[in-house]
């Protein structure tokens, strides 16, 4: 009787899971398997030509100059953007979690960039940093610059403009996550630290930051994954070329150009996608271990 009941429950469980398993199998697992298949082939989608070439696509990743530049660009992008956006979001959340006047209004204003489309934000920043834009005019009027700088077409500044744009647009979203996490921190810990004579900065360092470690791990992982996949802002900023002088060429943009551009090298683009997934997994794993969020549980 007991075995019959367990068998009945197992059938019910499988029946409930079947729709999700079928959808995941068709739209995700089959896509991954097909991507692995064509990564070992020379593919022409227009003619339906497939030629098995073994590991040649993967070997090309380590010898192709543009691929190397794209990975260097995106790694520098991740190293700069992820820590800055995480720290700013944490500080802003801590400040807006206090009893300052007008905090609801500040929360609403700070969250507005998240509601704006990435394309619109990119166009706004391209205007701000244009040769005759407000940033150049302000810097020249304050004697910070002797003459205007062409931020958009200068390889030294182009990627940095996209970095600042990405930080500005993502901080509000992560700030909201931190604000939600702060609601779960017991007030008794802050009261105990006040009794011990801790000031606001000491409470932030020794109470807020450790208590939000699991949230920080989540924010770091989301930031790392999002920045490694950065495509739309670089595409709009450079018109899809990755210029000037490949300074804004990211891995996702290069994958797009190889897959759907004039090169028509879908096999190589797929191999790059798989390699990017491996890199994202390794970096995310290292970040999670370094943050040691498990220590709170």
């Amino acid at each position: 009787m007991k075995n019959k009941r367990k068998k009945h429950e197992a059938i019910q469980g499988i029946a409930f899971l079947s729709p999700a398993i079928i959808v995941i199998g068709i739209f995700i697992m089959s896509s991954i398997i097909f991507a692995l298949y064509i990564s070992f082939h020379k593919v022409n989608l227009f003619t339906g030509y497939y030629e098995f070439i073994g590991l040649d696509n993967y070997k090309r990743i380590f010898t192709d100059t543009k691929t190397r530049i794209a990975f260097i660009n995106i790694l520098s992008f991740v190293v700069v953007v992820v820590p800055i956006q995480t720290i700013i979001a944490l500080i802003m959340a801590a400040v807006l979690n206090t009893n300052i006047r007008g905090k609801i209004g500040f929360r609403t204003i700070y969250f507005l960039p998240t509601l704006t489309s990435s394309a619109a934000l990119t166009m706004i920043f391209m205007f701000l940093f244009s040769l005759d834009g407000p940033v150049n005019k302000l810097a020249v009027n304050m004697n910070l610059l002797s003459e205007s700088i062409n931020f958009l077409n200068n390889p030294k500044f182009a990627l940095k403009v996209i970095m600042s744009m990405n930080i500005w647009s993502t901080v509000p979203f992560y700030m909201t996550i931190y604000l939600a996490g702060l609601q779960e921190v017991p007030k008794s810990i802050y009261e105990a630290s006040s009794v011990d004579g801790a000031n606001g900065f000491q409470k932030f360092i020794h109470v807020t930051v450790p208590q939000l470690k699991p949230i920080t791990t989540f924010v770091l992982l989301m930031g790392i994954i999002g920045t490694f996949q950065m495509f739309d802002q670089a595409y709009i900023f450079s018109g899809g070329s990755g210029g000037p002088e490949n300074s804004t060429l990211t891995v996702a943009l290069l994958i797009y150009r190889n897959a759907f551009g004039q090169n028509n090298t879908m096999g190589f683009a797929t191999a790059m996608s798989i390699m990017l997934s491996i890199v994202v997994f390794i970096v995310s794993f290292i970040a999670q271990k370094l943050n040691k969020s498990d220590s709170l549980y």
Side-chain angles (χ1 to χ4, degrees):
M1 185 67 182
K2 193 173 181 181
N3 290 334
K4 191 176 179 181
R5 183 179 176 183
K6 283 186 176 179
K7 187 178 179 182
H8 182 69
E9 290 178 350
I11 293 173
Q12 279 186 327
I14 293 171
F16 280 119
L17 289 173
S18 294
I21 292 173
I22 292 171
V23 171
I24 291 172
I26 293 174
F27 293 103
I28 298 179
M29 296 308 298
S30 62
S31 301
I32 293 173
I33 293 170
F34 185 64
L36 283 170
Y37 172 76
I38 63 176
S39 70
F40 295 103
H41 289 73
K42 184 178 182 181
V43 181
N44 188 325
L45 290 180
F46 296 112
T47 60
Y49 174 77
Y50 287 79
E51 178 188 350
F52 181 75
I53 56 173
L55 294 172
D56 286 359
N57 283 329
Y58 290 94
K59 291 177 183 175
R60 185 181 165 188
I61 292 174
F62 298 97
T63 57
D64 185 71
T65 303
K66 284 194 174 181
T67 305
R68 179 174 54 81
I69 293 172
F71 269 100
I72 292 174
N73 285 344
I74 202 62
L75 284 172
S76 63
F77 193 86
V78 172
V79 168
V80 173
V81 171
V82 174
I84 292 177
Q85 70 184 12
T86 304
I87 292 171
I88 294 176
L90 176 59
I91 293 173
M92 288 178 65
V95 171
L96 292 179
N97 195 50
T98 60
N99 294 321
I100 62 170
R101 183 176 295 179
K103 64 180 181 181
I104 296 177
F106 281 121
R107 288 179 183 179
T108 305
I109 293 170
Y110 289 148
F111 194 71
L112 284 178
T114 306
L115 304 176
T116 310
S117 73
S118 179
L121 285 176
T122 307
M123 298 303 292
I124 291 171
F125 266 75
M126 289 178 70
F127 165 71
L128 291 175
F129 285 91
S130 62
L131 202 56
D132 298 321
V135 173
N136 265 316
K137 287 182 179 178
L138 183 65
V140 171
N141 290 336
M142 295 178 67
N143 293 323
L144 298 175
L145 295 175
S146 58
E147 59 181 7
S148 297
I149 295 177
N150 194 344
F151 290 103
L152 306 184
N153 292 316
N154 190 325
K156 292 182 180 178
F157 298 104
L159 188 62
K160 295 179 178 61
V161 172
I162 299 179
M163 287 178 180
S164 60
M165 174 171 52
N166 193 277
I167 292 170
W168 187 77
S169 62
T170 54
V171 162
F173 175 69
Y174 296 129
M175 178 197 73
T176 306
I177 296 175
Y178 272 124
L179 272 172
L182 282 169
Q183 310 311 311
E184 301 299 323
V185 179
K187 292 184 179 179
S188 57
I189 301 178
Y190 289 106
E191 293 170 356
S193 60
S194 297
V195 173
D196 291 337
N199 56 32
F201 180 74
Q202 290 170 329
K203 289 178 185 177
F204 176 76
I205 296 297
H206 299 292
V207 177
T208 304
V209 174
Q211 289 295 319
L212 291 179
K213 265 192 172 182
I215 306 295
T216 301
T217 299
F218 174 76
V219 170
L220 285 174
L221 294 179
M222 292 290 291
I224 289 170
I225 294 170
T227 47
F228 266 114
Q229 295 176 341
M230 203 271 289
F231 169 78
D232 50 350
Q233 294 169 346
Y235 182 88
I236 297 170
F237 190 91
S238 65
S241 66
E245 298 180 12
N246 295 322
S247 60
T248 61
L249 184 65
T250 65
V251 178
L253 180 56
L254 188 59
I255 290 171
Y256 172 80
R257 289 175 55 183
N258 278 292
F260 306 107
Q262 295 180 345
N263 296 336
N264 192 22
T265 50
M266 179 62 79
F268 178 56
T270 309
M272 286 182 61
S273 303
I274 293 170
M275 187 60 69
L276 178 62
S277 303
I278 295 171
V279 171
V280 171
F281 176 79
I282 293 172
V283 174
S284 301
F285 181 78
I286 293 172
Q288 186 179 12
K289 288 298 178 185
L290 289 176
N291 198 43
K292 297 178 182 177
S293 62
D294 292 341
S295 60
L296 282 177
Y297 298 106

